[in-house]
Amino acid sequence: MSEDRNALRDIPVDKLLKHDAYDELAALAAEIAAHDAAYYQEDAPKVSDAEYDALRKRNDEIERKFPDLVRDDSPNKRVGAAVAQGFGKVSHNPPMLSLGNAFSADDVVEFYDRIRRFLSLSPEEPVEIVAEPKIDGLSVSLRYENGKFKQGATRGDGREGEDVTENLRTMREIPDTIEDAPAVIEVRGEVYMSKTDFLSLNQRQDEAGGKVFANPRNAAAGSLRQKDPSVTAARPLKIFLYAWGYVSGVNAQGYGGEIDWPDQWSFYDRLKKWGFPVNPYATVCKTFDDTMALYERLGTDRATLDYDIDGVVYKVNRLDWQQRLGFVSRAPRWATAHKFPAEKATTLVNKIDIQVGRTGTLTPVAHLEPITVGGVVVQRATLHNEDYIREKDIRVGDRVLIQRAGDVIPQVLEVDLDARKSPAPDPFEMPHTCPECGSLAVREEGQAAWRCTGGLICPAQAVERLKHFVSRDAFDIEGFGAKHIEAFWQEGIVKAPADIFRLAEKRDEIAGREGWGEKSADNLIAAIEHRRAIELARFIYSLGIRQVGQATARLLASRYGSFANWRDAMIAAADRNSEAYAELVDIDGIGPSMADDLIGFFAEDHNLSVLEGLEHELQIEDFVTADTSDSPISGKTLVFTGNLEAMSRGEAKARAEAMGAKVAGSVSKKTDLVIAGPGAGSKRKKAEDLGVQVIDEDAWMKILDGDAPQMQLL
Ligand code: IVH
């Protein structure tokens, strides 16, 4: 920065001329950005906190006096998520998916059946599967442009991950250039650390007084997320590739464009040609028996392999089938993970206590004598509910067999009754009042759970709801997690969701808290600002309504479009004879019990005032559908009835929705089009009575092929 601008800073803000203010804001923006980079990315601040704060303060004063000069790159707009973490953000398009699970051979049969049903294949038609180990590491996406490695990112939440390009560049197994590749291609795979390397790394770390990792996966993750790439370079990371993401010209699901491999298996050949490691166990399985044989073989080899695997992944080989099968929520229908049996161990129950969840459910939790299961120390296990404890007769002091499967909370499988002390400890009784707020606890008929009736006067429920509100799939406020909510709640800084968006008013109080400071308070406030605009589906999910998970939230968002529409409809649906109620339960995927929970949520005044508070603070964005404006069925309500031959009902529904249509379960005045296959009965008749257009499957196929205009549809 030049001397004369420094001199400007001696001029009190109220004497500052506008054109000088303009120059000074530009200089401050650049200077503060450089300090942020030094602090977060390089971990090497160049000024003291006080000097930094003085710059921020000066910037804020000038901005306040000249609001029309506030720059797009003002430090107050810029700081936030990305910077606070030290890694830039990379969005994944198409998203990085997770996988459904199969735990038994029956589940795998069901996986094959589902595929056959969805694609309307005969039972004789072979379905080739590519099977390979499920590597217990962390997934990454590597982007190559014109054959050069340009960017690498972690999975993050699947939609957005962290930019760890320079760290990945240090890995020998990742080629810097690839030949004969599409102009742009992202390849995806799993970074891991071998068991041998993990043990010797831990030994070195221990000797040097550094961090010792719990298992190879944590070691791999910790090594990749280093601020200094030379640290990563010194860590023995490896990778197996198994998927692609964006390829020049692909569609939103990741197919088409410059993809010229016909199946999953040919893609692996291509990966190998480019120089990427592909797992040597990867095999094309022609039959179900081949698939099971590989599973058995890997189950045996597992113990002697030098890397951790937790199952076998099955993927449909044909790409045209993959594309038709598509996704459910975040997982492809064309792939699944067949998990190995969970690891087991025995230990003692030291205590049983009760956790109160977001919706008031009282969950008994066993505190165990710590024990290592599959490389992880386990100290607690969920006991689910009263019936579970009773059925297994679990008592304090018992020796129990526990199991841990992947990241799932450990379970108690059985009690060793022979080891029970005598006199036997008393059977466990669920409390009849909430241990957190003392309100009455009730167990409703037909329900397994005891529930606290305290609603939001119960601090545990209120806090859990707030934690859910800021969690990763909800508001996801960077640097503001469950621990902060807990502390802010205790101190009365945040009592309701909307309070979070008024924290700027408490900036000084936050900055003065132990472990905080000006900079971290400002970062928090910036991260919160960053989330003031939120997609409708995320918003609905964040409310933590019972039974309303992400998939349901998305269904509701797509059906109602805007927050106001949704809210009005939910309030109107309280009248079970209303059209609003009929419309709600008519949504494929929403049944009467879920409808009850939605209506129940809106029936509570307290919830309405929470919503009102939030509406003032937020911009809740309308649901945006993919551009389906040239689709003949965009915005139309369709009903399928009878049998379809070329595709299953599920595929027909998915295809219709992808073209912007809504699919309803019953025919009404609002129905625009009924697709009736052979065997259609009452729905077809009702459509005819109401004068709703009815077409057959051939006509439906024409719509899918884009031939609809000739049919003068609708
Ligand atoms: S395929 C669309 N193959 O498992 C398919 N995933 O539980 C995307 N994983 O996020 C994944 N080994 O991190 C695939 N051979 C393998 C894998 C694998 C490990 C991980 C991956 C994914 C997670 C899902």
Side-chain angles (χ1 to χ4, degrees), residues 135-193:
I135 313 296
D136 197 5
L138 69 152
S139 48
V140 296
S141 188
L142 311 171
R143 183 179 173 96
Y144 288 79
E145 292 176 16
N146 301 315
K148 290 250 170 307
F149 176 53
K150 272 278 146 58
Q151 189 174 56
T154 60
R155 177 176 186 274
D157 64 3
R159 289 168 194 269
E160 199 178 58
E162 287 168 334
D163 184 336
V164 286
T165 312
E166 296 316 316
N167 297 350
L168 287 164
R169 217 188 271 290
T170 67
M171 286 175 54
R172 247 173 304 148
E173 289 188 335
I174 297 180
D176 214 35
T177 53
I178 56 178
E179 269 165 33
D180 296 328
V184 180
I185 178 164
E186 281 168 22
V187 290
R188 294 174 176 177
E190 201 82 357
V191 169
Y192 66 97
M193 191 179 284

Side-chain angles (χ1 to χ4, degrees), residues 95-101 132-140 155 188-190 240-244 264 268 279 310-315 327 330-332 334-335 337 339:
M96 290 180 79
L97 302 167
S98 48
L99 289 171
N101 289 323
E132 66 195 293
K134 184 166 188 296
I135 313 296
D136 197 5
L138 69 152
S139 48
V140 296
R155 177 176 186 274
R188 294 174 176 177
E190 201 82 357
F240 285 121
L241 281 290
Y242 50 65
W244 64 91
Q264 185 78 21
Y268 289 0
N279 193 280
D310 53 359
V312 185
V313 180
Y314 304 142
K315 301 169 188 172
F327 313 93
R330 291 171 160 206
W334 48 265
K339 294 298 200 60

